[in-house]
Amino acid sequence: MTHVGAVRTVNEDSYFTSDRLCLVADGMGGHEAGEVASGLATELLGEAVAAREELALLDLEPLISSVNRSIRAYGADHEATGMGTTVVGVAVIANGGTYSAVVFNVGDSRCYRLVEGRIEQLTTDHSHVQELVDAGEISMTEARSHPLRNVVTRALGVDAEVRADYFVLDDVSCRLLLCSDGLSGDVGLDVIEATLVDHTAPSVAAQRLIDAALDGAARDNITAVVVDLEFAMAHPDDDTVPNQQVRSIAAEITAPRSRAAADVVRRAFVDLDGSEPDRAGKAVST
Ligand code: MG
């Protein structure tokens, strides 16, 4: 489910769902650039996965790089500077005869997992405020109201190279929420958790989450995709060779988190035009 929110006139979020891939993307750049970027990300990734009979974990990295290049090329062709998009997704991957699910993210769109009625955040934002939290300079609570809370440090379509983080899921079954920051930034974790627990149908849970965001200021676009992973996956205690391999591959291709603080701050301020940062001011550029 997606909603433009209560303030903005254009919805720059996009989503995609199929039985092997679900995505949420939050575009940035304004002037038709944001919705094009998030639309390209979801369409190109969706088509690429649909065209394959099976997806391996190692297929994801080149796919994401290819989509990054396509969005960059579109931005250059249309002189859309600052065009970019986050992406968060979950994909079913073939794993030597067994199947796993892999969550991946670039930027500050998030994946939460519901385990036995308790919610946990699986992804770590690639954002300026997350860097400040990691450095111990601000708390997670302060991050929610920080003036630069919308500034992302990684996005598709911005830099020549981009790397996602990957998380291998080996629960037998679980519920996931993929969402843009219009939801995670404005709706409390307790409300998100209760909503995911209370509504069995994924589409109803997603609609209730949108409703919860609309009960507040809803200054940003809001997108929620609720995914129930129900196929038989390897048990967490199952340390068969394929599962060990897929976890070590995920660790290997996940980008290192550290980055020079000065570089982050420089990038963070580039596209803010000296004006007060707002929901639309989240683009990063080199
Ligand atoms: Mg947003």
Side-chain angles (χ1 to χ4, degrees):
M1 300 286 170
T2 190
H3 196 284
V4 69
V7 173
R8 296 175 72 164
T9 53
V10 175
N11 192 345
E12 295 188 313
D13 288 357
S14 296
Y15 69 91
F16 174 88
T17 62
S18 73
D19 58 354
R20 291 193 294 150
L21 178 73
C22 294
L23 301 166
V24 166
D26 178 353
M28 60 197 77
H31 308 292
E32 298 182 5
E35 63 267 39
V36 171
S38 66
L40 279 172
T42 52
E43 280 164 33
L44 294 174
L45 282 170
E47 284 168 12
V49 170
R52 285 169 164 76
E53 220 165 273
E54 285 192 332
L55 186 73
L57 179 54
L58 285 174
D59 294 335
L60 272 173
E61 197 181 18
L63 273 179
I64 289 169
S65 293
S66 159
V67 171
N68 181 55
R69 285 193 298 274
S70 297
I71 296 170
R72 268 192 116 216
Y74 185 97
D77 288 349
H78 294 78
E79 294 179 8
T81 51
M83 177 174 171
T85 184
T86 71
V87 71
V88 61
V90 56
V92 175
I93 56 159
N95 175 22
T98 63
Y99 292 89
S100 300
V102 168
V103 168
F104 54 94
N105 77 300
V106 174
D108 66 354
S109 297
R110 291 182 178 174
C111 178
Y112 294 98
R113 171 167 59 176
L114 192 68
V115 181
E116 291 173 5
R118 299 299 300 271
I119 198 172
E120 60 175 357
Q121 187 179 331
L122 279 184
T123 52
T124 304
D125 295 349
H126 304 132
S127 68
H128 179 57
V129 290
Q130 182 67 50
E131 306 269 359
L132 295 177
V133 169
D134 291 347
E137 292 179 27
I138 61 170
S139 68
M140 284 296 273
T141 308
E142 288 168 323
R144 292 174 74 90
S145 57
H146 194 282
L148 295 179
R149 64 187 174 279
N150 299 307
V151 175
V152 295
T153 50
R154 285 189 219 170
L156 295 181
V158 178
D159 289 328
E161 303 289 337
V162 69
R163 292 182 72 179
D165 292 338
Y166 300 88
F167 309 83
V168 177
L169 299 181
D170 32 29
D171 289 312
V172 173
S173 63
C174 61
R175 170 167 277 194
L176 300 176
L177 167 66
L178 309 176
C179 66
S180 61
D181 65 338
L183 182 71
S184 57
D186 283 354
V187 180
L189 213 50
D190 52 338
V191 174
I192 293 178
E193 181 181 273
T195 307
L196 290 174
V197 169
D198 288 350
H199 300 283
T200 309
S203 58
V204 174
Q207 185 58 59
R208 294 293 175 269
L209 289 168
I210 302 284
D211 294 344
L214 291 170
D215 283 343
R219 287 166 296 181
D220 199 2
N221 308 141
I222 312 145
T223 303
V225 170
V226 177
V227 184
D228 285 332
L229 286 175
E230 292 178 335
F231 60 92
M233 286 187 288
H235 189 269
D237 295 336
D238 177 8
D239 267 339
T240 55
V241 171
N243 282 317
Q244 287 171 352
Q245 281 172 345
V246 83
R247 277 196 288 267
S248 69
I249 292 169
E252 213 165 283
I253 61 178
T254 293
R257 297 211 53 76
S258 62
R259 170 188 279 249
D263 185 42
V264 171
V265 173
R266 182 183 63 78
R267 292 159 51 83
F269 280 98
V270 164
D271 272 349
L272 295 178
D273 301 326
S275 57
E276 186 70 17
D278 59 16
R279 288 305 213 197
K282 71 178 291 182
V284 294
S285 180
T286 46

